[in-house]
Amino acid sequence: MQDYVLRLDQVGMNDVETVGGKNASLGEMISQLSSAGVKVPNGFATTAEAFRDFLKHGGLEEKINQTLKSLDADNVIELADTGKMIRGWIMDAPFQPALDQAIETAFTEMCGDNPNLSVAVRSSATAEDLPDASFAGQQETFLNIRGLDNVKHAIKEVFASLYNDRAISYRVHQGFEHSEVALSAGIQRMVRSETAASGVMFTIDTESGFPHVAFITSAYGLGETVVQGAVNPDEFYVYKPTLQMGAPAILRRNLGAKAIKMVYTNDASAGNAVETVSVPVEQRNQFSINDEDVQELARLAVIIEKHYGRPMDIEWAKDGDDGGLYIVQARPETVKSRDKSTVIERYLLKETGKCLVEGRSIGHRIGSGPVRIVHDISEMHLVQPGEVLVTDMTDPDWEPVMKKAAAIVTNRGGRTCHAAIIARELGIPAIVGCGDATEVLKDEQVVTVSCAEGDTGRAYEGQLDFEHQTNNVESMPNLPFDIMMNVGNPDRAFDFQSLPNSGVGLARLEFIINRMIGVHPKALLNFDEQSRDLRQTIERRIAGYGDPVEFYVERLVEGISTLAAAFYPKKVIVRMSDFKSNEYGHLIGGEHYEPSEENPMLGFRGATRYISEDFRDCFELECRALKKVRDEMRFTNVEIMVPFVRTVGEARQVVDLLAENGLKRGENGLRVIMMCEIPSNALLADQFLEYFDGFSIGSNDLTQLTLGLDRDSGVIAHLFDERDDAVKQLLEMAIDACRAQGKYIGICGQGPSDHPDLAHWLMEKGISSVSLNPDSVLDTWFFLSNSEND
């Protein structure tokens, strides 16, 4: 029996050739990580020797090898016919008597007093889950199998799945000999996640490769819906360094649609033991796991990653009976962890167009071509090279044609589904979870699929112009000041942090409010006073959060902490909200609370707004969020910036108000910076600096107010120039005042991004830092380096 079956607790990572990568990893965790709290359901595995002897016993080994030798794996129809034929041979062949007996003995021991034990029967190949090839989803898994005969049939199905179309194709394209790969079937006690939740987690960010976060997905029921991409799951990002310090570490939460879940049926046979059912709306509008579960899963992910010494791709399940969190698979992450290049690759959309559909972006790339809608696997052969593959959901069966596509767009799926993994591995941009892509897009319609704009991927009408840039950043030349970045979008934070930088000189809070919240804070504070229709609109927005105010604060916390984590320990200077009244008015419910102003640019904004009775309670919510990020989540690299301070009296009042809300200058290392963007700020610099730790120059407003022109006016746009002598004189005054007092002086306006010569002038005047838009960092850096050397 030892030759054909082993208990999982008898194997480890040295046994990949015996029981395959998946089963070896399960055994490794059972024996090595149980004491650290990693719970893995036990079971047994058939060996590679059992599989090879099975093929020999049925006279199939040579027959299969000869058949595959003459196969053209790029011919989709030939591939399908050949795979089907081989799988039929395997299903018709009997087990050799010794294997049959070994399975029966092991299963009887496993069941003990419960002959009706529900088990999962999973595949585990000897050439899978390697650090340089994922083989993700190439073979089958069968859930909720009960009874010996059903288990034996499921094992046979697993054996046959080594010759799935996708598995044959993948081996060919990865350069593996078919005859060198053997299969082990793992039989494992089921975790009762059908009454709870399950999902997938990675120990790095799957899109950017940022190594300091765990990325967790979760949906109700059995985990196959998440793995397959049949459901749009909840998503969570957890910051690993502060998690290990015992601090609250959840950076982001994204509520998924979770429209369906997979549950048990009363039929215990392979292929019939589970079904998908609809999830009630009230459950869809809640997160499928709570914050404690998220943090515990991340803790387990860190333990597993440390043990294996590499980024990992992990499947987990929560048991609805005992509430426990179990690990059911762990394998190396194979795409971003291999990307050790010092070359930064960037795709930039050069024009905009009509957005047709949007969903979650996979890969920071752009592709374009004619649409090819494929309704099911039987139509795969229709896909031509360079087309945009559009379908309800892709799974690994589609791998043979995925590599032909310029891009992939699906109705369903999340970032951790097998199709997303394969798309990343192939380097193809993909948008998953669009909902209605197959209805909106039409065959042969030319579209541009952009995954280069953050979390949200968009398919635009027509062939839009885009740029593909590569820069080697291994050894950036030294400059006499810091290059920082203006980053408003937390979606891009993990991506942007890989650029050379000294931190974030401007993080705009209004970007977070607009993109992640979308509701006026007053409408949330006074939720009960809103009309019924408006309350319903707001309720849809705040789904998953406890109440309207908690939603506002927590979403601010998520946006700020994501930026802070991405760049830690470098400084991240967060500017308090700087919406004008017309911009606040565009938020949901905003029209009821904002004044009508002729010139909002010069009206109710900045410090004036914060200290007013009308807005103070809203400002206090921003303070609550920043205090939590700094004090509870321990991101003390976050600093505060106050915009549009008109008078020294306002400066004193706003700094006092910050202190009243737990954000006192100097406490816990807090620096409070002032935007220098009004001529009075530079003219009275010494007086303003009594209340602040430095200036960050806002060159846009400073130019507008110095030259007396409306920066939004097209008629006089030609006069707008930050390099005007009057503007430069004020800039020099601000720089000199800060340098004389030994305080921070930076610039975060658009000027240096648009005009490298202005950046060079600022460098000569002794500015501490220049904060640039991310797309101009490299060009400006090299320009300044060259001008230094001239």
Side-chain angles (χ1 to χ4, degrees):
M1 175 177 165
Q2 283 295 337
D3 292 336
Y4 281 169
V5 168
L6 292 168
R7 289 196 319 273
L8 289 177
D9 59 15
Q10 294 176 304
V11 300
M13 287 313 295
N14 293 327
D15 299 301
V16 172
E17 287 300 318
T18 304
V19 293
K22 201 172 297 170
N23 287 334
S25 182
L26 290 171
E28 178 81 7
M29 290 187 289
I30 290 170
S31 59
Q32 301 297 316
L33 299 180
S34 294
S35 60
V38 178
K39 293 190 281 192
V40 179
N42 209 340
F44 67 92
T46 63
T47 63
E49 185 179 358
F51 175 76
R52 291 191 173 104
D53 286 355
F54 163 72
L55 293 185
K56 287 174 186 170
H57 177 76
L60 298 179
E61 183 179 36
E62 190 60 30
K63 198 172 167 183
I64 290 171
N65 290 341
Q66 287 301 321
T67 302
L68 291 176
K69 203 169 280 185
S70 61
L71 171 69
D72 176 6
D74 289 323
N75 184 322
V76 177
I77 296 174
E78 184 184 342
L79 175 65
D81 290 343
T82 302
K84 183 179 180 181
M85 181 171 64
I86 294 173
R87 293 192 298 275
W89 296 342
I90 290 173
M91 293 307 298
D92 290 341
F95 286 134
Q96 64 271 40
L99 175 57
D100 197 74
Q101 183 58 51
I103 292 169
E104 186 170 337
T105 302
F107 185 65
T108 302
E109 284 180 7
M110 182 181 178
C111 289
D113 297 332
N114 181 13
N116 204 35
L117 182 71
S118 177
V119 299
V121 182
R122 304 178 189 276
S123 65
S124 181
T126 56
E128 74 175 346
D129 298 346
L130 306 175
D132 56 354
S134 75
F135 283 76
Q138 297 307 314
Q139 284 82 50
E140 298 292 351
T141 293
F142 299 97
L143 305 177
N144 187 33
I145 306 301
R146 298 190 301 275
L148 179 61
D149 288 343
N150 288 327
V151 167
K152 287 180 179 177
H153 182 80
I155 292 172
K156 191 83 69 73
E157 292 272 15
V158 163
F159 283 4
S161 73
L162 186 63
Y163 303 99
N164 279 338
D165 305 353
R166 64 198 186 220
I168 295 170
S169 172
Y170 193 82
R171 287 195 296 273
V172 169
H173 295 123
Q174 289 288 335
F176 285 87
E177 288 290 335
H178 299 291
S179 58
E180 292 178 1
V181 183
L183 209 61
S184 163
I187 294 81
Q188 203 179 10
R189 178 182 67 80
M190 282 291 295
V191 178
R192 288 298 303 272
S193 59
E194 65 146 351
T195 55
S198 54
V200 179
M201 55 185 176
F202 287 79
T203 60
I204 59 175
D205 175 40
T206 55
E207 299 310 304
S208 66
F210 183 61
H212 301 304
V213 291
F215 175 52
I216 299 168
T217 62
S218 172
Y220 296 114
L222 305 178
E224 286 301 290
T225 56
V226 178
V227 173
Q228 293 167 357
V231 71
N232 299 336
D234 298 330
E235 297 178 349
F236 307 90
Y237 290 91
V238 183
Y239 190 57
K240 294 186 290 188
T242 50
L243 174 77
Q244 294 172 87
M245 293 161 56
I250 300 174
L251 301 177
R252 296 282 296 278
R253 303 169 183 85
N254 292 316
L255 187 71
K258 307 182 299 294
I260 58 171
K261 65 177 178 177
M262 185 176 284
V263 298
Y264 293 174
T265 68
N266 293 322
D267 187 339
S269 62
N272 302 307
V274 294
E275 63 179 345
T276 54
V277 298
S278 294
V279 174
V281 173
E282 60 271 20
Q283 282 189 293
R284 298 182 198 183
N285 290 332
Q286 300 170 0
F287 288 107
S288 49
I289 51 176
N290 58 34
D291 284 1
E292 290 75 20
D293 290 333
V294 173
Q295 295 231 142
E296 176 61 13
L297 284 168
R299 188 186 72 83
L300 297 175
V302 169
I303 291 169
I304 293 167
E305 180 181 49
K306 280 186 175 176
H307 178 75
Y308 285 95
R310 58 170 61 97
M312 298 295 288
D313 167 359
I314 302 163
E315 292 181 31
W316 63 270
K318 181 175 182 176
D319 194 300
D321 290 346
D322 64 20
L325 294 167
Y326 293 84
I327 304 301
V328 294
Q329 279 189 41
R331 53 181 164 254
E333 193 278 340
T334 59
V335 180
K336 285 299 177 183
S337 54
R338 280 190 283 166
D339 185 10
K340 306 295 185 189
S341 172
T342 57
V343 174
I344 289 182
E345 184 180 59
R346 292 185 297 161
Y347 283 78
L348 303 171
L349 206 56
K350 304 296 285 183
E351 55 183 329
T352 58
K354 179 183 177 184
C355 179
L356 301 173
V357 296
E358 60 181 41
R360 307 313 304 275
S361 63
I362 306 297
H364 296 302
R365 300 185 178 213
I366 299 173
S368 61
V371 166
R372 173 65 62 191
I373 296 175
V374 179
H375 297 97
D376 59 56
I377 198 166
S378 68
E379 300 177 349
M380 276 204 308
H381 64 282
L382 299 174
V383 179
Q384 300 301 309
E387 292 184 331
V388 174
L389 171 60
V390 179
T391 187
D392 181 48
M393 58 179 271
T394 58
D395 62 35
D397 280 327
W398 298 64
E399 189 272 338
V401 297
M402 287 169 75
K403 62 182 179 292
K404 292 182 180 180
I408 298 166
V409 182
T410 72
N411 293 339
R412 294 191 283 165
R415 282 190 167 169
T416 57
C417 67
H418 283 313
I421 294 170
I422 298 299
R424 287 188 202 100
E425 200 164 299
L426 295 172
I428 298 168
I431 307 174
V432 298
C434 295
D436 58 358
T438 53
E439 297 170 27
V440 175
L441 303 179
K442 306 301 178 189
D443 259 337
E444 300 183 8
Q445 176 183 21
V446 175
V447 298
T448 299
V449 173
S450 172
C451 295
E453 301 167 78
D455 273 3
T456 302
R458 298 178 178 88
Y460 294 100
E461 188 174 53
Q463 185 151 349
L464 302 183
D465 185 29
F466 65 89
E467 186 178 346
H468 178 207
Q469 298 180 352
T470 55
N471 292 93
N472 193 319
V473 296
E474 187 170 19
S475 54
M476 297 296 288
N478 290 325
L479 294 173
F481 63 5
D482 289 335
I483 296 279
M484 302 178 81
M485 281 193 284
N486 300 334
V487 181
N489 186 355
D491 291 354
R492 302 297 308 276
F494 300 148
D495 190 25
F496 288 150
Q497 61 79 32
S498 63
L499 289 166
N501 70 86
S502 296
V504 176
L506 171 62
R508 299 178 178 90
L509 214 57
E510 60 270 17
F511 195 102
I512 297 171
I513 294 169
N514 198 38
R515 287 285 296 270
M516 296 177 62
I517 296 172
V519 185
H520 196 288
K522 279 287 190 185
L524 296 169
L525 284 162
N526 303 304
F527 176 74
D528 292 338
E529 299 173 13
Q530 309 307 315
S531 69
R532 181 172 173 273
D533 287 348
L534 188 53
R535 284 201 309 272
Q536 287 180 339
T537 300
I538 293 173
E539 282 170 349
R540 285 194 293 272
R541 280 271 174 159
I542 69 174
Y545 293 82
D547 62 63
V549 173
E550 180 199 339
F551 164 74
Y552 190 83
V553 174
E554 285 303 310
R555 293 298 272 176
L556 284 177
V557 167
E558 289 172 23
I560 298 165
S561 64
T562 298
L563 293 167
F567 290 89
Y568 191 87
K570 300 170 188 171
K571 298 296 185 188
V572 174
I573 301 175
V574 176
R575 186 177 72 186
M576 310 300 281
S577 63
D578 194 27
F579 277 136
K580 291 75 177 173
S581 54
N582 60 326
E583 294 167 334
Y584 259 123
H586 289 145
L587 296 175
I588 294 169
E591 68 275 11
H592 302 304
Y593 297 102
E594 292 299 322
S596 176
E597 298 185 282
E598 288 295 322
N599 191 345
M601 185 75 76
L602 300 180
F604 190 41
R605 61 178 288 201
T608 307
R609 184 179 275 270
Y610 307 155
I611 61 181
S612 72
E613 288 299 322
D614 286 342
F615 192 79
R616 185 173 296 192
D617 52 356
C618 302
F619 179 70
E620 288 171 353
L621 299 184
E622 297 179 25
C623 294
R624 270 174 59 183
L626 279 157
K627 182 172 170 55
K628 178 174 180 178
V629 170
R630 284 184 47 84
D631 296 352
E632 294 180 38
M633 300 183 74
R634 307 188 190 182
F635 289 118
T636 51
N637 59 324
V638 168
E639 302 186 335
I640 292 173
M641 183 150 67
V642 181
F644 225 75
V645 185
R646 290 177 167 97
T647 67
V648 175
E650 280 191 341
R652 175 180 52 77
Q653 290 180 71
V654 79
V655 168
D656 287 348
L657 188 56
L658 285 168
E660 287 172 25
N661 283 279
L663 296 168
K664 186 175 181 180
R665 272 180 71 202
E667 280 192 0
N668 202 12
L670 175 63
R671 288 199 312 180
V672 181
I673 310 296
M674 188 187 94
M675 285 283 284
C676 178
E677 53 193 334
I678 304 171
S680 62
N681 300 154
L683 294 167
L684 301 179
D686 288 336
Q687 295 180 49
F688 279 105
L689 286 170
E690 290 179 31
Y691 298 98
F692 293 97
D693 297 296
F695 284 165
S696 181
I697 297 166
S699 57
N700 294 354
D701 273 340
L702 188 62
T703 302
Q704 167 178 252
L705 297 171
T706 302
L707 300 180
L709 52 83
D710 181 350
R711 72 187 205 203
D712 289 340
S713 171
V715 179
I716 52 173
H718 62 286
L719 295 172
F720 189 94
D721 191 338
E722 298 94 328
R723 297 166 295 180
D724 184 273
D725 287 343
V727 179
K728 288 171 82 171
Q729 187 165 338
L730 291 171
L731 292 173
E732 192 166 358
M733 291 172 69
I735 293 169
D736 290 347
C738 288
R739 283 174 60 85
Q741 295 192 32
K743 295 193 173 185
Y744 171 81
I745 176 65
I747 185 167
C748 60
Q750 186 70 25
S753 295
D754 290 344
H755 308 295
D757 57 322
L758 177 62
H760 184 253
W761 180 84
L762 291 164
M763 180 170 71
E764 289 181 329
K765 294 300 176 185
I767 202 162
S768 307
S769 73
V770 170
S771 193
L772 303 166
N773 295 335
D775 60 1
S776 64
V777 165
L778 295 175
D779 292 341
T780 304
W781 195 308
F782 288 123
F783 172 86
L784 292 173
S785 170
N786 292 335
S787 60
E788 267 281 274
N789 297 325
D790 287 346

